[in-house]
């Protein structure tokens, strides 16, 4: 049984492991896809302190190597259920593997809602982006398309319209669904045009790089081609928290209802990263959560040991 059983190998989970290992405790990370989380798909990261500029995959590899060098155990598998056992927790994967930990740190992350059009996955990082804060500056002075109309999309629209030559917004409804003042501010921008009642049906590319998209006006069936250097998708996030709802309360949107202390209503269970209810989801906030969750887990272990 490991001291910290960490579900999710993104920046939050890797940081939690780092803090545990440096404190002389054991840590095991179970990751369902690839280590590094969403940052691993970012073509370049320029907002992480101490790193002037580097591919996200390079940062992820460095973080993973650092934890492995300290003795972290890593596993690939999708955790589908967790149960409380004597002196800890037991997690089960979809393949039937089981892992046990004295404490449980949940860092399952979130998944961006995708457009679901052919070629989207292949163009991710080559013109298709899911975070304007992360990647918007790469399109400074260029033409981009933004898909979405909620508050998050409108906030990204304000950022992109500040730095891009032209921003085209594609919204499938007849108006924005975000707050009215923010929507009006976006509409007033001179370099912003909006296509309401439209959806993206096809991505255009040349030599593996995005060159634009085709949109469909649902009321008429008419199509139009938009030329663009980048396409930002902001149609919501999907927290991956459902398998853990019995151990950590979820808010109405499905995020872990926990503050910066990263605590849950279950003693010995902690949460960290984008899966937690918060207003900012960035690489820096994920690693901060990982540190907070690990330190809380270490305090829990010390208390348990003192009462043993």
């Amino acid at each position: 049984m490991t001291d910290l059983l960490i579900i999710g190998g993104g920046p939050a989970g890797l940081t939690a492991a780092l803090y545990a290992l440096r404190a002389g405790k054991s840590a095991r990370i179970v990751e369902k896809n690839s280590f590094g989380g969403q940052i691993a798909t970012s073509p370049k990261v320029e907002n992480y302190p101490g790193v002037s500029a580097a591919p996200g995959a390079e940062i992820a590899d460095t973080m993973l190597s650092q934890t492995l060098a300290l003795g972290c155990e890593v596993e690939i598998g999708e955790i589908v259920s967790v149960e409380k056992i004597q002196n800890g927790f037991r997690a089960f994967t979809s393949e039937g593997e089981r892992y046990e930990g004295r404490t449980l740190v949940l860092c399952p992350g979130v998944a961006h809602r995708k457009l679901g059009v052919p070629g989207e996955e292949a163009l991710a990082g080559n013109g298709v982006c899911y975070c304007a804060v992360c990647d918007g500056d790469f399109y400074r002075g260029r033409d981009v398309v933004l898909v979405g109309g909620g508050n998050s999309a409108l906030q990204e629209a304000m950022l992109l319209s500040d730095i891009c030559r032209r921003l085209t917004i594609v919204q499938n409804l007849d108006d924005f669904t975000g707050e009215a003042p923010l929507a009006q501010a976006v509409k007033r921008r001179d370099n912003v045009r909006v296509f309401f009642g439209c959806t993206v049906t096809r991505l255009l590319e040349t030599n593996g790089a995005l060159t634009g998209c085709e949109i469909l006006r649902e009321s008429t069936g008419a199509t139009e081609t938009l030329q663009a250097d980048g396409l930002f998708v902001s149609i919501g996030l999907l927290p991956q928290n459902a398998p853990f709802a019995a151990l950590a309360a979820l808010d109405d949107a499905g995020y872990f209802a926990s503050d910066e202390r990263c605590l849950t209503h279950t003693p010995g269970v902690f949460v960290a990263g984008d899966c937690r209810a918060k207003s900012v989801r960035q690489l820096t906030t994920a690693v901060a959560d990982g540190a907070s969750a690990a330190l809380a887990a270490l305090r829990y272990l010390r208390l348990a040991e003192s009462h043993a």
Side-chain angles (χ1 to χ4, degrees):
M1 179 180 287
T2 192
D3 292 318
L4 273 73
L5 177 58
I6 302 166
I7 311 303
L14 291 167
T15 302
L18 174 64
Y19 272 69
L21 294 163
R22 285 180 54 81
K25 299 297 184 182
S26 59
R28 171 180 278 124
I29 302 174
V30 184
E31 165 58 41
K32 68 177 181 179
N33 291 319
S34 57
F35 289 89
Q38 294 181 48
I39 199 64
T41 64
S42 180
K44 185 184 291 186
V45 176
E46 296 181 307
N47 58 358
Y48 190 56
V51 178
S52 297
E58 181 180 311
I59 294 176
D61 287 345
T62 300
M63 296 178 74
L64 176 60
S65 297
Q66 187 177 14
T67 60
L68 290 174
L70 291 172
C72 185
E73 299 179 68
V74 298
E75 312 287 348
I76 295 294
E78 181 179 4
I79 299 298
V80 294
S81 64
V82 180
E83 65 180 12
K84 181 75 174 71
I85 60 175
Q86 185 176 7
N87 299 322
F89 304 88
R90 180 181 294 130
F92 300 87
T93 72
S94 57
E95 300 296 323
E97 299 292 332
R98 63 173 65 184
Y99 303 103
E100 296 181 355
R102 296 173 63 199
T103 63
L104 184 66
V105 181
L106 301 175
C107 315
V110 297
H112 286 282
R113 291 185 188 273
K114 305 294 179 64
L115 293 173
V117 297
E120 182 176 4
E121 295 290 342
L123 288 169
N126 291 299
V128 175
C129 306
Y130 300 92
C131 176
V133 175
C134 307
D135 301 323
D137 200 55
F138 302 127
Y139 298 90
R140 182 176 294 274
R142 303 165 75 182
D143 296 340
V144 300
V145 172
L146 171 70
V147 183
N151 278 332
S152 294
L154 293 174
Q155 290 166 355
E156 296 206 332
M158 295 295 287
L159 185 154
L160 291 170
S161 63
D162 278 341
I163 61 178
C164 296
R165 182 173 61 182
R166 167 173 280 189
L167 170 65
T168 301
I169 303 175
V170 179
Q171 161 71 322
N172 64 332
L173 302 177
D174 292 332
D175 203 348
F176 294 127
T177 57
E179 297 174 357
L182 187 55
Q184 291 302 318
V186 170
K187 291 177 180 179
R188 286 195 295 266
R189 293 292 176 101
D190 292 335
N191 63 336
V192 173
R193 61 175 176 171
V194 184
F195 287 86
F196 289 117
C198 296
T199 57
V200 174
T201 56
R202 190 162 68 98
L203 302 179
L204 309 177
E205 59 92 11
T206 300
N207 297 324
L210 182 88
T211 57
C213 64
E214 182 180 273
I215 63 172
L216 169 70
R217 186 170 296 280
E218 297 180 345
S219 61
T220 65
T223 61
E224 183 167 343
T225 298
L226 305 178
Q227 301 298 322
D229 302 300
L231 184 143
F232 288 81
V233 181
S234 184
I235 54 177
L237 297 171
L238 296 171
Q240 309 293 287
N241 298 339
F244 317 108
L247 297 174
L250 307 182
D251 66 11
D252 292 340
Y255 293 96
F256 289 127
S258 179
D259 59 19
E260 283 75 10
R261 295 173 297 170
C262 299
L263 307 178
T264 72
H265 63 72
T266 304
V269 177
F270 311 90
V271 299
D274 287 355
C275 59
R276 183 177 68 79
K278 55 169 71 177
S279 59
V280 178
R281 291 182 172 87
Q282 291 286 290
L283 173 57
T284 48
T285 61
V287 299
D289 274 6
S292 295
L295 292 172
L298 293 172
R299 287 193 295 269
Y300 174 87
L301 290 172
R302 285 197 298 271
L303 183 62
E305 291 163 358
S306 69
H307 290 160

